[in-house]
Amino acid sequence: MTTPQLKQTALLATAAITALTLITTIFAQQQPAKVDAKILAAAGTAKDALPGTWLTYGLTQTEQRYSQLKQIDASNVGKLGLAWSAPLTQPGARGGTESTPLVWNNTIYQAMDNSIIYALDARTGAQKWMYDAKTDPITASHMCCGTHNRGLAISDGKLILAANDARLIALDALTGKELWQTKVAEISQYYSLTIAPRIAGDKVVIGVAGGEYFIRGFFAAYDLKDGKLAWKFHTVPPAPGKPFEDKAQEEAAKTWTGDWAKYGGGGSIWDGLVYDPDTNLVIAGTGNAEPWPLELRGIKKEDWGKFTNLYTASIVAVDASNGKLKWYYQTVPNDAWDLDSVGGFIMADIPIEGRTRKVIMQAPKSGVFYIIDRTNGQFISAEPFVPVNWVTGFDKKNNGRPIINPDAYYDQGKTVTIYPGGGGAHNWAPMSYNPNAGLVYLPYSAGSYNFTAAAEPDPKAGGGAHGLGRAGQTKQTPMPIWGPDNVGRGGLQARDPKTNTIKWVKTGRGGATGGGTMTTASNLLFQVAGNSLYAYKADSGEELLALPHNLGGPAPPVTYLVDGVQHIGFATGTQFLSLKVGGTAGMPAPPPAPAGKGKGAPKGPPPPPPPPTELHGPDGK
Ligand code: CA
């Protein structure tokens, strides 16, 4: 070959390589970054391979809702305004949501009530696709407290929806096309789903709601690939005489007595489920025993307090590979007061009494903040975060077993006034944890409720079949109440988990339900409460922002990057709002009021939330 020929060949080769590199680059840009078990294990942490996304319900698998993003800080959070808003209403579909969105591949995935998903372009808010699971028409009448959905899961290119009529559905995350469906349980038997599914390696985990009806609760794992059942853990033993599924059920059976099984047993899992990649455990919070009054569960008066009814009102940890029980801690033994062990978990490594503990924390309806060693279920501490009277202490010699106040039990002839109130001291509104500030942020409600038993549970009763009688205003023996005295009727409290004590409180700000919290590495704390977004300094609680919107339906706030710029986003009942520093001032107009109501959008800040007096308030599951 002559020199010019060589030169030409070299040039051609260079051109070919350049073209190939360009094509590869374009192709790589068009291919969305993959989400798998490894990516999820680091999601939201300092080692996040896809920074600026929101890939799992609680941002990290520890569910701290602590973002590494810090472009938005105390100096500029006051300038937050609209980047865009997008409608979340479809003709014929009811608005409303309790769902935490996911953010991946420049797409925001927002689930709404009634098992509807919107995929929105994170840059513009344009709708990429919409999916309606078209649930069974009986669904709403078979759910105690609304056709809610709290979020989605994503992995392996699939978006997983827990549809209200107890179906688990996998969609292609890019197109919204259905890939598989699995029937988890029967809606006709009052099983439903409201919880966000969680990814555990190559499986997706889900728990059933319906604990106010005659269900036998369980949570289960399905193969992400095809939706095939991998394992199931029952939170209530089988009916007497039926074979035990495993040793855990045999042990649980010893804690039930009498003719309890005709009413199912309860033990639903409707909020509070995590996968811990460190220990390979799936940890679930379980609901009340069903029916609520002990006498209807077959427990004679002399045995009140004796039969604990495992694994209801408990924190239950199972091996993620096979669903076998590893440990449990019962937050309310022998529950008679609808004190579901719900509200999301937070996992963290925290120095307590001189050593770092791998803890799991929960602030359930019972009004007590529990801190447990998540590797083995060892009790660390429990402290009331609102006034309580169902419990008088925790037996440290017996792994912190709650000591039930014997006067808190009731029957057809006895009415009791129990603290906290109906709906619980903390419901589904997500907590968050800022490791720099060393604080957990907890929306709460304080109050009381009267309990008395009915003669029979009524499956057609509004809000469920729990067997509560009409509590009159008869005089009751006052019971001693203990807990903090500075928390008012509800609000937001910051707790130091090292000592399990309150650091600061904002009363009158939200409550046990609605919105919830999220915190960032720039020492900010965000809260959605009522119809407003608030921002505070995470360490001191100093308020930096209050942004009203009048659009209803508060859902949890999240944060993400759009073309390298940090945004704050959350769904209202009717619109998704994406905010950035320097965005447009003002909020979109609320949709017209439904015919007959005739009430326009009020101007100015929204009214304070109603006091938590209803037993089945909007979220009193
Ligand atoms: Ca319940």
Side-chain angles (χ1 to χ4, degrees):
M1 228 182 264
T2 63
T3 309
Q5 273 177 319
L6 267 176
K7 241 183 196 171
Q8 205 178 11
T9 313
L11 277 172
L12 278 172
T14 310
I17 289 165
T18 309
L20 194 68
T21 310
L22 196 67
I23 288 164
T24 314
T25 309
I26 291 167
F27 186 71
Q29 279 172 353
Q30 285 173 343
Q31 289 302 302
K34 200 179 148 205
V35 179
D36 57 21
K38 206 173 147 203
I39 297 286
L40 284 173
T45 71
K47 292 177 189 159
D48 196 340
L50 304 173
T53 57
W54 191 291
L55 298 177
T56 185
Y57 182 72
L59 177 60
T60 55
Q61 285 193 315
T62 53
E63 306 214 348
Q64 294 180 0
R65 292 180 187 248
Y66 169 75
S67 168
Q68 305 291 328
L69 303 182
K70 42 187 177 188
Q71 290 175 13
I72 301 173
D73 59 23
S75 74
N76 60 23
V77 70
K79 296 179 193 131
L80 272 184
L82 264 191
W84 52 260
S85 64
L88 297 171
T89 45
Q90 202 67 19
R94 197 191 76 179
T97 185
E98 298 182 350
S99 183
T100 300
L102 298 182
V103 185
W104 171 73
N105 189 38
N106 282 313
T107 310
I108 291 169
Y109 297 98
Q110 180 66 50
M112 301 296 286
D113 289 0
N114 296 319
S115 313
I116 288 167
I117 303 172
Y118 291 87
L120 306 172
D121 188 320
R123 291 188 174 104
T124 62
Q127 192 183 113
K128 291 189 170 183
W129 51 262
M130 184 275 236
Y131 174 82
D132 182 348
K134 295 193 170 62
T135 52
D136 189 309
I138 64 168
T139 304
S141 64
H142 281 48
M143 295 180 75
C144 76
C145 315
T147 52
H148 298 306
N149 175 296
R150 296 200 184 79
L152 304 160
I154 193 167
S155 192
D156 192 30
K158 298 180 185 77
L159 193 67
I160 313 291
L161 167 71
N164 290 141
D165 57 0
R167 284 175 298 150
L168 201 59
I169 302 171
L171 307 176
D172 182 318
L174 292 178
T175 64
K177 192 175 147 255
E178 269 180 36
L179 299 174
W180 53 254
Q181 279 204 30
T182 293
K183 192 180 265 194
V184 174
E186 296 287 347
I187 184 75
S188 60
Q189 293 170 13
Y190 292 87
Y191 285 98
S192 57
L193 302 178
T194 56
I195 197 170
R198 307 302 203 274
I199 304 294
D202 57 359
K203 299 181 187 72
V204 52
V205 187
I206 193 77
V208 293
E212 264 65 53
Y213 299 97
F214 301 161
I215 67 155
R216 181 185 177 206
F218 66 87
F219 57 103
Y222 298 85
D223 196 319
L224 196 49
K225 193 167 74 244
D226 52 15
K228 214 174 134 211
L229 179 70
W231 54 255
K232 192 184 262 199
F233 182 87
H234 291 273
T235 57
V236 166
K242 296 255 173 74
F244 297 115
E245 285 83 1
D246 59 30
K247 186 85 184 148
Q249 313 310 324
E250 197 175 341
E251 288 303 310
K254 295 172 191 163
T255 67
W256 294 75
T257 185
D259 197 11
W260 65 271
K262 65 180 175 177
Y263 300 132
S268 61
I269 292 91
W270 59 266
D271 190 48
L273 180 67
V274 280
Y275 169 64
D276 179 15
D278 277 6
T279 55
N280 196 40
L281 293 176
V282 168
I283 307 175
T286 69
N288 58 281
E290 171 66 22
W292 297 353
L294 301 191
E295 60 180 329
L296 294 179
R297 289 208 302 272
I299 305 176
K300 293 194 185 94
K301 208 164 192 167
E302 57 270 29
D303 292 333
W304 284 357
K306 201 163 145 190
F307 290 94
T308 54
N309 293 163
L310 291 172
Y311 301 94
T312 63
S314 299
I315 301 170
V316 179
V318 305
D319 185 328
S321 319
N322 56 23
K324 295 293 175 201
L325 182 68
K326 284 288 192 179
W327 57 260
Y328 71 88
Y329 172 81
Q330 195 168 34
T331 57
V332 186
N334 218 181
D335 168 51
W337 314 279
D338 190 31
L339 296 176
D340 307 58
S341 200
V342 296
F345 293 110
I346 289 177
M347 298 187 284
D349 296 352
I350 293 177
I352 294 174
E353 290 174 354
R355 65 183 172 122
T356 299
R357 306 291 298 264
K358 284 179 146 343
V359 308
I360 187 160
M361 300 181 271
Q362 195 183 34
K365 286 172 73 175
S366 68
V368 174
F369 196 97
Y370 302 88
I371 304 180
I372 307 289
D373 184 325
R374 71 178 187 271
T375 64
N376 56 17
Q378 205 177 79
F379 174 83
I380 296 175
S381 70
E383 295 291 339
F385 58 89
V386 294
V388 298
N389 69 353
W390 62 270
V391 61
T392 58
F394 300 89
D395 181 1
K396 293 210 166 155
K397 286 192 193 125
N398 200 359
N399 199 40
R401 180 177 161 153
I403 303 160
I404 304 279
N405 181 350
D407 292 334
Y409 293 116
Y410 58 93
D411 59 18
Q412 285 179 66
K414 184 188 171 197
T415 301
V416 295
T417 301
I418 293 297
Y419 289 76
H426 175 226
N427 208 282
W428 64 270
M431 304 192 294
S432 55
Y433 170 63
N434 189 311
N436 286 335
L439 297 174
V440 174
Y441 308 100
L442 163 65
Y444 68 91
S445 295
S448 63
Y449 196 80
N450 288 352
F451 286 83
T452 194
E456 271 295 317
D458 176 7
K460 292 192 186 75
H466 42 66
L468 212 61
R470 193 174 288 274
Q473 295 304 313
T474 48
K475 245 189 169 175
Q476 294 123 40
T477 319
M479 281 183 273
I481 298 164
W482 66 303
D485 56 9
N486 62 339
V487 297
R489 296 175 82 175
L492 175 69
Q493 63 181 260
R495 295 187 72 84
D496 182 349
K498 293 190 290 298
T499 51
N500 206 345
T501 52
I502 294 177
K503 183 82 179 283
W504 51 259
V505 168
K506 298 265 167 202
T507 54
R509 184 56 56 83
T513 61
T517 68
M518 178 267 293
T519 181
T520 72
S522 54
N523 191 36
L524 290 186
L525 166 66
F526 291 89
Q527 183 194 16
V528 167
N531 278 357
S532 291
L533 174 73
Y534 298 94
Y536 316 88
K537 282 190 181 168
D539 51 3
S540 66
E542 182 191 334
E543 185 177 306
L544 302 167
L545 175 77
L547 204 60
H549 59 70
N550 291 325
L551 294 163
V558 298
T559 186
Y560 43 90
L561 292 176
V562 180
D563 293 330
V565 176
Q566 188 183 359
H567 284 56
I568 306 290
F570 60 99
T572 68
T574 51
Q575 300 259 350
F576 192 93
L577 305 179
S578 193
L579 310 170
K580 65 176 179 183
V581 172
T584 319
M587 288 288 147
K597 291 218 169 166
K599 206 177 158 198
K603 291 272 178 229
T613 48
E614 264 184 276
L615 193 60
H616 282 291
D619 300 282
K621 282 87 177 175

